[in-house]
C-alpha cells in the first residue's frame, strides 16, 4: 500500500545522507586556493599586494609580510622621517663622511650609476632644490632660493667610499632623495620575498611602480595606465614576469598663475 508520508521520509533520509557524503570530504579542505589582496599607504603612495595562495591564512600573511618589507625600506630611506638613515646622511654628510649601511650604500651607488648613464638626467641631488617645493601647500622656492640651491644639484657632489663604508657630500647644501628609485627597489624586494616563499603568481605595486610574476588566472596581468587629464584608464598593458614604472604630472602638482608645478623635472 502506497504511503506518501513514508515515501517522503525515505526521500528525506536519502537526501540527507547524500548531502552528508558530499560535505564530509569538503570539511578536510576548509579553505580553497584563491587570490588575496592587501593594501596600505606607504612611502607617500598607495601600495598593493595581490597573490594566489593555497589558503587564506597563508595568503594574507604573505601579503602583509610584503607590505612590512616595504615599510622597512621606507623607514630606512624616507626623507620625511627625521629618524631615517637617509635623513641622517642629509643632515651630516656635507660636513663629514657618514657611515652608511650596505643596503643603502648599494642603492645610492646604483642611483649614481644611472646618473652617469643618463648624463645627469637622473640625479638624486635634485632634492637640493626640490626640498623647497611643497605640492600640497602649493609652495615653490623664490628666485633667490632656487639660485642658491641649484649649484648643489649635481650627482658628482656625492662620493661613496666602498672600502670605508661611508658617503660624503663635496658641496654645502647637497641633499639626496631616492624617491626615483626607492619605490622600485621596495617593489623588487617584496616580490623577492614572495618568490622565496614559493608564490608563483603575484603583483606588487607602489604608486606608478609595478612588478608582476606569473599570470592572473590563465591570462597575463593587465596593468592600467591612467589618463593624465581625465578620469579613467586610457590603456592597458599585458605583462608576465615583468616590471613597469609610470609617472605623470597629475598626482603631485599645483597650479599657480596658469603654470603647473609638478614633481617631474
Amino acid at each position: 500500500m502506497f504511503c506518501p508520508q513514508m515515501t517522503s521520509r525515505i526521500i528525506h533520509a536519502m537526501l540527507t545522507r547524500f548531502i552528508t557524503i558530499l560535505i564530509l570530504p569538503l570539511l578536510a579542505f576548509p579553505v580553497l586556493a584563491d587570490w588575496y589582496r592587501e593594501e596600505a599607504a606607504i612611502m607617500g603612495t598607495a601600495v598593493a599586494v595581490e597573490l594566489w595562495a593555497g589558503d587564506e591564512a597563508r595568503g594574507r600573511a604573505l601579503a602583509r609580510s610584503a607590505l612590512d618589507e616595504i615599510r622597512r625600506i621606507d623607514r630606512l630611506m624616507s626623507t620625511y622621517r627625521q629618524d631615517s638613515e637617509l635623513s641622517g646622511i642629509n643632515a651630516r654628510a656635507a660636513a663629514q663622511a657618514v657611515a652608511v649601511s650596505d643596503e643603502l650604500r648599494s642603492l645610492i651607488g646604483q642611483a649614481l650609476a644611472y646618473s652617469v648613464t643618463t648624463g645627469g638626467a637622473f640625479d638624486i641631488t635634485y632634492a637640493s632644490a626640490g626640498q623647497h617645493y611643497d605640492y600640497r601647500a602649493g609652495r615653490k622656492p623664490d628666485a633667490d632660493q632656487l639660485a642658491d640651491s641649484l649649484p648643489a644639484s649635481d650627482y658628482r657632489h656625492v662620493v661613496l667610499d666602498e672600502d670605508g663604508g661611508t658617503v660624503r657630500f663635496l658641496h654645502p647644501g647637497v641633499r639626496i632623495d631616492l624617491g626615483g628609485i626607492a619605490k622600485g627597489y621596495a617593489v623588487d624586494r617584496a616580490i623577492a620575498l614572495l618568490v622565496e616563499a614559493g608564490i608563483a603568481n603575484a603583483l606588487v605595486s607602489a604608486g606608478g611602480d609595478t612588478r608582476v610574476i606569473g599570470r592572473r588566472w590563465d591570462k597575463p596581468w593587465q596593468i592600467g595606465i591612467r589618463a593624465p587629464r581625465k578620469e579613467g584608464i586610457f590603456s592597458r598593458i599585458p605583462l608576465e614576469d615583468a616590471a613597469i614604472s609610470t609617472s605623470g604630472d597629475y598626482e603631485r602638482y599645483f597650479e599657480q598663475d596658469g603654470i603647473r608645478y609638478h614633481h617631474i623635472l
Side-chain angles (χ1 to χ4, degrees):
M1 181 176 179
F2 176 74
C3 179
Q5 292 182 340
M6 182 177 294
T7 301
S8 177
R9 286 196 297 270
I10 293 173
I11 292 174
H12 178 75
M14 291 177 65
L15 286 174
T16 300
R17 184 177 180 183
F18 178 70
I19 293 171
T20 302
I21 292 172
L22 288 177
I23 291 176
L24 282 176
L26 296 177
L27 294 178
F29 304 96
V31 182
L32 301 178
D34 203 348
W35 293 101
Y36 299 101
R37 183 181 179 91
E38 295 287 339
E39 300 178 356
I42 315 171
M43 304 183 90
T45 192
V47 177
V49 178
E50 186 173 1
L51 57 86
W52 176 267
D55 66 79
E56 182 174 7
R58 182 170 184 268
R60 296 207 178 279
L62 286 174
R64 289 166 184 162
S65 68
L67 292 177
D68 287 342
E69 175 67 358
I70 296 175
R71 290 189 182 97
R72 181 190 69 81
I73 293 168
D74 183 49
R75 289 192 297 269
L76 183 69
M77 304 181 185
S78 172
T79 57
Y80 296 99
R81 300 174 61 104
Q82 294 302 311
D83 60 345
S84 74
E85 184 177 1
L86 185 60
S87 290
I89 291 171
N90 280 331
R92 303 192 307 275
Q96 63 187 58
V98 178
V100 60
S101 65
D102 291 343
E103 183 176 21
L104 186 53
R105 187 172 69 252
S106 175
L107 197 62
I108 293 174
Q110 190 175 6
L112 295 177
Y114 290 149
S115 294
V116 172
T117 300
T118 62
F122 181 88
D123 191 340
I124 57 177
T125 66
Y126 82 91
S128 305
Q131 64 177 314
H132 299 301
Y133 287 86
D134 187 327
Y135 299 101
R136 292 182 179 178
R139 187 178 71 242
K140 64 182 179 66
D142 59 33
D144 290 338
Q145 281 181 309
L146 200 56
D148 290 342
S149 59
L150 283 179
S153 300
D154 189 329
Y155 69 92
R156 289 166 292 193
H157 293 325
V158 182
V159 177
L160 283 177
D161 182 345
E162 295 290 350
D163 294 330
T166 63
V167 60
R168 182 163 187 179
F169 301 156
L170 300 181
H171 192 285
V174 171
R175 180 183 172 94
I176 61 175
D177 189 326
L178 297 171
I181 191 173
K183 286 197 293 293
Y185 173 74
V187 167
D188 286 346
R189 283 293 310 136
I191 285 288
L193 184 151
L194 296 177
V195 170
E196 291 170 5
I199 296 298
N201 301 284
L203 172 148
V204 178
S205 67
D209 293 275
T210 302
R211 184 170 175 181
V212 300
I213 53 174
R215 296 160 69 89
R216 198 178 194 289
W217 297 113
D218 62 341
K219 298 180 180 179
W221 292 88
Q222 297 294 316
I223 308 302
I225 308 299
R226 179 179 164 182
R229 292 293 182 268
K230 61 182 180 180
E231 293 297 323
I233 302 297
F234 83 91
S235 181
R236 294 185 185 276
I237 300 176
L239 290 181
E240 295 181 50
D241 299 314
I244 185 171
S245 181
T246 64
S247 192
D249 65 354
Y250 49 82
E251 289 287 352
R252 295 173 58 193
Y253 77 94
F254 64 91
E255 292 185 352
Q256 193 175 98
D257 300 325
I259 299 175
R260 179 178 292 235
Y261 296 91
H262 52 84
H263 73 298
I264 302 176
L265 302 178

